[in-house]
Amino acid sequence: MQLSEILQKINQGWVQATKEPFTEHPLAMLFRKEFRQKIVDIVEEFDPFYEVKASVGAGNWASVPWLSILNPNMTTTTQDGVYPVYLFKADGTGFYLSLIQGTTNPTKKLGKRLAEKQAIEIKENILNKLPKLMSWGSRDIHLNAKTSLGQSYEKANIVAKYYDAKSIPSDDRLKEDLNILLMLYKQLEDFSWMPKSDETTIEPIIGQNFESLSKPFLLLAGISGTGKTRFVRQQALASSCNGSLEDTYCLVSVRPDWHEPSDLLGYTSRLSGDTNYVTTAVLQFLVKAWQEIEKAGINLEGRAVTGEKTQLDNVRPYWLCLDEMNLAPVEQYFADYLSVLETREWIWADKDFTYSTDPLLTSNVIKNLSPEGQAKLRTDMALPEGALWERFLNFGIGIPFNLIVAGTVNMDETTHGFSRKVIDRALSFDFGEFFPNNYDEYFSPKSKPKTLSYPIWSSALESKELLPDIDADGAKSIEFLKSINMVLNNSPFKLAYRALNELLLSVISHQPQTDTELQAVWDDFLMCKVLPRIEGDVDKLASTQSNNSILGDLLLTLSIQLDDISAGEVRRDLSRQKLDTEDKTILIACRSVAKLTWMKNRLALGFTSFWP
């Protein structure tokens, strides 16, 4: 079949195809195989190292199907960089051969408005460097897409040639047009076309290889020896830049006799006659994290700190590991942090941010020290006089936004349990489920945990525009949580606004593009935020809606809400990625359904909980 015939069939059949089942649809097969192979044949004659990728959707039909051509010297992904691409109009009336920019990673990194602004600057830079592009095609495209992702292609377009479905040219003409664009595309290797503001900045430390957490407090629970503490250490090492953990990692072993916040944050002492403050390793580490923020040039004047998005690229995560965290009652010695954690607030205005938090150590405590006591406190914290010290004097020492607290816990007869107050404020990971030990890969690991970074949002309401198209306005996630809450109604496990906010922040963090990926986010949310709250005997877990238990009702609900991922290993692992392969995706089974089934079976013995 000729290339022109294939293109005609795609355009003629596209609208009808999107109304029919996606799986193994003939048009999808035509696009992915025959159309792709025709382009591969042309591209390999030009450069055999170029890669051709084609997509009509992932699990569901895309609004705008595409076929891209990637120069590995410039980009290896369609999510960023510049590359030629065939884009088909959503109404099937024609298609474009476009030189375009990837939009996913810039939007995830910069936010929608700033990413669009950068795309315009890149477009102008490239057209100025290669004026021949202007005579090859037009600057504007119109795809008639109804989704924001499809519409974003229009703004990311640099130059394009349009082909009407009613008058598709011959194969020779199509090949000639593609070869001309490929030659112009290759010339871009010799030019610098990123915006000048980006060219003059320091190479970012925190980039697109980091996954933003939705919460800066983690509980890593599991049997002894699974690697929980090592996990935190490796996370700190991944962002240390110099291979040293001296700055970005602090390991604190929790003592069984800790019963108040002073055990963690220090206390005022008058034993020597002067009013001094006895510091701790934790308080000193908090100050180190604040110094990292100061080094990035972020404004520390005023109660809230302010800065630009690009400055965050050079603020490393600081990892505080509280080892064996529940050897002492967490609600007692960690009370101040748990309360102040909820006062964190991020406000974004385009590329500018404001971050504020209540103090862990108030300014009054510092001001009430004697002059000698203040000098000693600065010395103990290795803090010179300056803007940061003045900030502490005026507003106290709050939670630095780049601090991530990870508590390792073992749930057995020697440790304390967690109240819902603690669990509601944390991301609880059943470590063996999220990061399983595989003996066969002990010497030659085939996967690794993703590198994590601190959250840069606190309210989904403030970050609503960052929600992906698949969950526009958070509508699907809200309905999902409502269905869960219907089961938990009239029980002590019912969820409130905080749970909804953190679910939406998780969606923003992971940016799912399909229903399957969205359900994977819901699955992990259940494992981290909902199921750890549930425990009790048969009476406590009795359902008010059926003859079943709450666990049984939840399983029935999830069979509907997680229908795409509830059977088989079909969902993407959001916490790990493959090593030494081009496709980093790891597919796993639904975690929450398996955990609920285990909890339900355990209830038959009289009592159950999330923890082993």
Side-chain angles (χ1 to χ4, degrees):
M1 190 184 302
Q2 296 291 310
L3 175 59
S4 56
E5 293 179 81
I6 294 173
L7 290 168
Q8 191 172 46
K9 284 192 173 185
I10 292 171
N11 282 278
Q12 290 176 345
W14 176 253
V15 174
Q16 179 60 35
T18 58
K19 300 175 182 178
E20 298 170 351
F22 176 85
T23 305
E24 295 185 357
H25 193 284
L27 191 70
M29 304 296 287
L30 177 69
F31 194 102
R32 291 169 174 164
K33 292 186 176 180
E34 295 186 48
F35 175 42
R36 179 183 177 277
Q37 188 58 52
K38 288 289 185 182
I39 302 303
V40 167
D41 292 341
I42 298 172
V43 171
E44 284 186 344
E45 291 180 10
F46 179 83
D47 191 323
F49 294 101
Y50 281 25
E51 183 178 6
V52 178
K53 295 184 178 181
S55 175
V56 292
N60 293 295
W61 292 103
S63 176
V64 175
W66 53 262
L67 182 144
S68 63
I69 303 163
L70 308 179
N71 178 350
N73 293 327
M74 297 176 63
T75 184
T76 58
T77 174
T78 59
Q79 296 186 350
D80 58 29
V82 174
Y83 53 89
V85 62
Y86 285 94
L87 295 170
F88 290 75
K89 295 182 70 170
D91 58 6
T93 58
F95 63 97
Y96 293 90
L97 173 57
S98 164
L99 184 65
I100 203 171
Q101 306 171 53
T103 60
T104 302
N105 285 339
T107 300
K108 187 175 181 181
K109 180 181 178 183
L110 303 174
K112 184 177 179 181
R113 284 175 290 181
L114 189 58
E116 288 176 357
K117 181 180 177 182
Q118 176 180 275
I120 293 172
E121 293 180 34
I122 291 174
K123 177 177 180 175
E124 296 303 321
N125 287 347
I126 289 177
L127 292 177
N128 288 332
K129 298 287 186 181
L130 285 177
K132 290 183 179 179
L133 282 169
M134 291 292 294
S135 60
W136 179 84
S138 60
R139 295 166 59 108
D140 298 318
I141 62 175
H142 304 282
L143 298 170
N144 296 334
K146 296 181 180 179
T147 65
S148 60
L149 179 61
Q151 293 164 0
S152 70
Y153 296 148
E154 297 178 353
K155 295 179 180 179
N157 174 65
I158 298 168
V159 67
K161 188 179 289 289
Y162 179 65
Y163 303 93
D164 192 293
K166 296 179 180 178
S167 56
I168 297 175
S170 67
D171 283 23
D172 288 341
R173 173 68 183 280
L174 291 167
K175 182 177 180 180
E176 179 184 359
D177 289 344
L178 177 55
N179 276 319
I180 292 174
L181 182 56
L182 290 174
M183 286 188 289
L184 293 170
Y185 176 49
K186 192 171 183 63
Q187 291 179 35
L188 286 179
E189 291 182 26
D190 302 323
F191 299 120
S192 176
W193 35 264
M194 286 298 291
K196 290 183 178 179
S197 58
D198 287 341
E199 292 173 1
T200 57
T201 57
I202 301 171
E203 184 68 22
I205 297 170
I206 307 302
Q208 63 191 36
N209 294 325
F210 287 71
E211 294 278 338
S212 293
L213 291 163
S214 58
K215 194 89 172 186
F217 176 31
L218 316 180
L219 292 178
L220 308 178
I223 62 175
S224 180
T226 54
K228 299 184 292 293
T229 305
R230 184 176 183 275
F231 169 83
V232 182
R233 180 184 177 89
Q234 292 300 114
Q235 287 291 331
L237 191 62
S239 57
S240 66
C241 298
N242 56 8
S244 171
L245 294 173
E246 183 177 352
D247 292 332
T248 60
Y249 177 68
C250 180
L251 175 65
V252 175
S253 298
V254 174
R255 293 169 53 93
D257 59 350
W258 286 5
H259 290 283
E260 56 177 326
S262 63
D263 293 318
L264 198 67
L265 297 172
Y267 56 93
T268 301
S269 172
R270 296 178 176 84
L271 291 178
S272 64
D274 289 327
T275 306
N276 295 315
Y277 195 86
V278 179
T279 63
T280 63
V282 172
L283 185 62
Q284 293 167 12
F285 189 67
L286 291 183
V287 172
K288 275 189 177 182
W290 275 112
Q291 288 176 303
E292 176 84 358
I293 294 171
E294 183 181 35
K295 289 177 184 176
I298 292 171
N299 182 17
L300 298 176
E301 297 178 2
R303 185 173 298 277
V305 300
T306 58
E308 297 181 356
K309 176 70 171 63
T310 54
Q311 292 175 305
L312 296 180
D313 290 338
N314 293 293
V315 179
R316 296 172 294 178
Y318 273 55
W319 287 84
L320 172 62
C321 181
L322 299 178
D323 201 28
E324 303 291 351
M325 187 180 191
N326 59 336
L327 281 179
V330 176
E331 294 83 354
Q332 296 178 20
Y333 76 84
F334 213 46
D336 286 3
Y337 175 86
L338 293 173
S339 296
V340 174
L341 179 66
E342 295 305 298
T343 69
R344 294 177 312 111
E345 184 177 23
W346 286 86
I347 298 176
W348 285 92
D350 198 6
K351 64 180 180 180
D352 300 322
F353 70 85
T354 301
Y355 169 80
S356 61
T357 175
D358 284 358
L360 287 166
L361 183 66
T362 66
S363 61
N364 285 337
V365 171
I366 300 175
K367 288 179 178 178
N368 288 335
L369 300 176
S370 65
E372 294 79 9
Q374 289 187 12
K376 183 178 184 300
L377 177 61
R378 281 198 303 104
T379 300
D380 291 344
M381 296 190 302
L383 182 66
E385 290 192 36
L388 189 56
W389 173 247
E390 288 298 319
R391 174 180 178 77
F392 292 162
L393 277 175
N394 293 325
F395 307 111
I397 303 177
I399 299 176
F401 62 71
N402 58 332
L403 178 73
I404 302 174
V405 178
T408 68
V409 299
N410 294 317
M411 305 301 292
D412 56 38
E413 65 278 0
T414 68
T415 60
H416 295 267
F418 291 109
S419 68
R420 282 188 288 277
K421 173 184 177 180
V422 176
I423 292 173
D424 283 353
R425 287 164 168 77
L427 292 175
S428 301
F429 289 89
D430 185 342
F431 197 80
E433 293 290 336
F434 281 83
F435 306 100
N437 288 166
N438 188 336
Y439 287 176
D440 294 332
E441 296 182 14
Y442 184 74
F443 291 107
S444 300
K446 296 180 180 178
S447 65
K448 69 171 184 177
K450 292 185 177 179
T451 305
L452 305 175
S453 186
Y454 47 85
I456 57 174
W457 317 281
S458 57
S459 170
L461 189 62
E462 293 286 342
S463 310
K464 183 179 177 182
E465 72 277 3
L466 297 178
L467 285 163
D469 293 335
I470 196 67
D471 196 18
D473 297 328
K476 291 183 179 180
S477 291
I478 290 172
E479 288 303 313
F480 166 74
L481 205 61
K482 284 169 64 177
S483 70
I484 298 299
N485 238 8
M486 286 182 63
V487 177
L488 301 179
N489 198 25
N490 298 320
S491 79
F493 314 116
K494 190 174 181 179
L495 303 168
Y497 276 136
R498 182 189 291 128
L500 175 58
N501 182 62
E502 294 188 12
L503 173 58
L504 295 176
L505 289 179
S506 186
V507 173
I508 289 171
S509 296
H510 292 292
Q511 289 294 304
Q513 300 300 309
T514 65
D515 283 325
T516 300
E517 292 181 359
L518 180 61
Q519 289 182 22
V521 175
W522 295 348
D523 186 27
D524 283 359
F525 175 81
L526 290 170
M527 289 289 288
C528 292
K529 299 295 299 182
V530 180
L531 300 188
R533 307 170 79 253
I534 300 175
E535 64 174 13
D537 57 19
V538 175
D539 292 333
K540 187 175 182 180
L541 295 177
S543 171
T544 60
Q545 305 170 33
S546 69
N547 294 324
N548 214 335
S549 66
I550 288 176
L551 303 180
D553 288 350
L554 280 176
L555 280 170
L556 289 174
T557 299
L558 295 189
S559 67
I560 299 171
Q561 296 294 331
L562 303 183
D563 58 326
D564 284 355
I565 65 171
S566 58
E569 296 184 349
V570 295
R571 58 147 290 192
R572 183 163 61 92
D573 192 330
L574 305 179
S575 304
R576 297 180 300 147
Q577 61 186 17
K578 290 180 181 177
L579 288 170
D580 303 325
T581 60
E582 182 179 349
D583 184 4
K584 304 294 185 183
T585 303
I586 297 174
L587 296 180
I588 59 172
C590 181
R591 291 189 173 113
S592 56
V593 168
K595 175 61 78 169
L596 269 173
T597 302
W598 178 84
M599 292 172 66
K600 182 182 178 183
N601 292 337
R602 196 180 185 194
L603 184 60
L605 301 177
F607 183 89
T608 194
S609 72
F610 177 83
W611 313 105

